[in-house]
Amino acid sequence: MIAPGAFDADLHCHSHVSDGILAPAEVVRRAHAAGVRLHALTDHDELAGIPEAAAEARRLGMAFVAGVEISVSWGGETIHVVGLRVDPHKPTLIEGLARTRAGRDARAREMGAQLERAGVPDAYAGALKHVGNPALISRTHFARHIVDSGICADVSEVFRHYLSEGRPGFVPHRWAALGEAVGWIRGAGGVAILAHPGRYRLDEGRLWALMDEFRQAGGEGIEVVSGSHTPDQYRRFAGHAREFGFLASRGSDFHAPGESRVDFGGLPPLPDSVVPVWRDWPEAATVARSRRDGRLQTEPATGQDTA
Ligand code: AMP
Ligand code: MN
Ligand code: MN
Ligand code: MN
């Protein structure tokens, strides 16, 4: 059994294919340079960055699995479901993601109109300037435009004042259903993970209901150590993972240098009390083996140095 903290596994991040700012290969290089040894790119509702990221990981000799973060509507809230180790060529997954993306542009135009009424000039055109992939225009792109315009100091201030539910630029949207998203992931051979459960505005009872429904739909894991969680939440969700029999995942949710709270290499390992989602993955066994071999090679040299 590979210990949860045996190596740095980061299984949640974004490139400019969705709302990150780096190209997929740059994201992979940054992760590798920070010490990540098992990696997944998980762009929102889109797999287009996977071939470039996988090729770069291969070049660097870093274990990589294909991922995606699907936007879901559940009980009036937006929930994110991460799919890991998916086959990116599976038509049901590809078509499901295309349907999930479809309403984004109309939503963004409406957000632009509302933000202009709230005093943000050229909001839609400004957001578009930050977009790497127009089909994936998101609130993050509006946030970067509003920061650039000098209206707010940083992205999190924009979310507080303009883009969270109840604020002037928030436009409700209907995403995929929970069961659909899990079904697409499983149909593509992947593992469905409930992303950053600590971020949803759900009381304990509704969070419980969400995790129960997620598990019944075929969801197999939750993020425990996440860039969106506090250390208290690592402990809390490790407990939930044990109670529900969920696998545990770990990821920075990196979007852009200096913008996300946590960068690659900045998270603690998973607690020993949980079962890592990568426990039975051949990619993880490869990392563990190469680290063992690496230690065998360097140990005698270290011994000579100190002798
Ligand atoms: P969208 O899919 O267009 O609703 O945008 C959601 C994205 O906005 C998330 O994936 C995050 O990257 C970002 N986001 C949401 N809430 C916040 C927040 N409070 N601070 C910073 N970024 C946020
Ligand atoms: Mn995002
Ligand atoms: Mn998310
Ligand atoms: Mn994310």
Side-chain angles (χ1 to χ4, degrees):
M1 159 100 179
I2 305 163
F7 50 81
D8 188 337
D10 193 308
L11 303 175
H12 187 152
C13 67
H14 300 273
S15 76
H16 71 189
V17 164
S18 64
D19 60 349
I21 67 158
L22 303 179
E26 293 173 319
V27 172
V28 168
R29 279 200 292 279
R30 190 178 182 88
H32 184 260
V36 173
R37 290 299 172 260
L38 174 62
H39 188 39
L41 176 68
T42 56
D43 273 312
H44 296 285
D45 308 321
E46 177 60 277
L47 293 158
I50 297 298
E52 181 184 316
E56 187 63 12
R58 218 175 298 122
R59 198 181 69 76
L60 293 165
M62 178 169 62
F64 178 86
V65 299
V68 65
E69 180 175 20
I70 306 182
S71 312
V72 162
S73 294
W74 182 86
E77 295 291 323
T78 297
I79 300 296
H80 287 170
V81 175
V82 164
L84 294 175
R85 227 164 161 268
V86 293
D87 172 359
H89 305 293
K90 204 74 181 172
T92 42
L93 175 61
I94 292 170
E95 286 154 19
L97 295 177
R99 284 200 302 282
T100 308
R101 289 192 298 271
R104 275 192 182 264
D105 188 61
R107 169 191 185 238
R109 287 173 194 273
E110 179 57 31
M111 283 173 64
Q114 291 194 17
L115 285 167
E116 285 187 29
R117 287 198 288 278
V120 179
D122 301 322
Y124 175 74
L128 267 186
K129 290 194 189 132
H130 290 267
V131 159
N133 169 9
L136 245 301
I137 185 164
S138 88
R139 285 186 290 164
T140 315
H141 302 113
F142 283 90
R144 292 186 186 131
H145 165 64
I146 291 171
V147 171
D148 272 8
S149 315
I151 298 171
C152 288
D154 58 33
V155 161
S156 85
E157 185 184 331
V158 182
F159 273 88
R160 274 198 311 280
H161 290 295
Y162 290 101
L163 298 177
S164 301
E165 187 161 358
R167 308 309 298 176
F170 183 83
V171 175
H173 192 74
R174 182 73 176 272
W175 303 107
L178 183 64
E180 278 181 318
V182 173
W184 300 334
I185 292 167
R186 287 175 65 92
V191 185
I193 304 286
L194 184 64
H196 42 63
R199 235 175 68 181
Y200 310 126
R201 294 172 321 152
L202 300 171
D203 62 25
E204 193 63 18
R206 289 188 73 213
L207 187 65
W208 208 259
L210 169 64
M211 291 196 295
D212 191 45
E213 197 177 317
F214 179 66
R215 188 175 53 180
Q216 282 182 37
E220 293 178 80
I222 62 173
E223 287 184 342
V224 169
V225 171
S226 155
S228 300
H229 284 172
T230 63
D232 273 352
Q233 289 174 321
Y234 306 156
R235 284 185 284 276
R236 179 169 167 226
F237 289 105
H240 285 359
R242 288 194 299 273
E243 282 164 81
F244 276 81
F246 279 135
L247 300 165
S249 192
R250 176 180 186 274
S252 55
D253 207 353
F254 170 80
H255 283 72
E259 184 180 282
S260 309
R261 199 167 59 80
V262 175
D263 208 319
F264 293 119
L267 286 176
L270 283 176
D272 282 331
S273 59
V274 297
V275 180
V277 60
W278 56 85
R279 181 185 59 181
D280 298 325
W281 291 357
E283 294 85 356
T286 307
V287 181
R289 205 167 35 245
S290 67
R291 289 180 64 89
R292 258 197 322 271
D293 295 350
R295 261 204 296 281
L296 286 177
Q297 280 160 22
T298 53
E299 258 161 19
T302 312
Q304 274 162 18
D305 286 350
T306 54

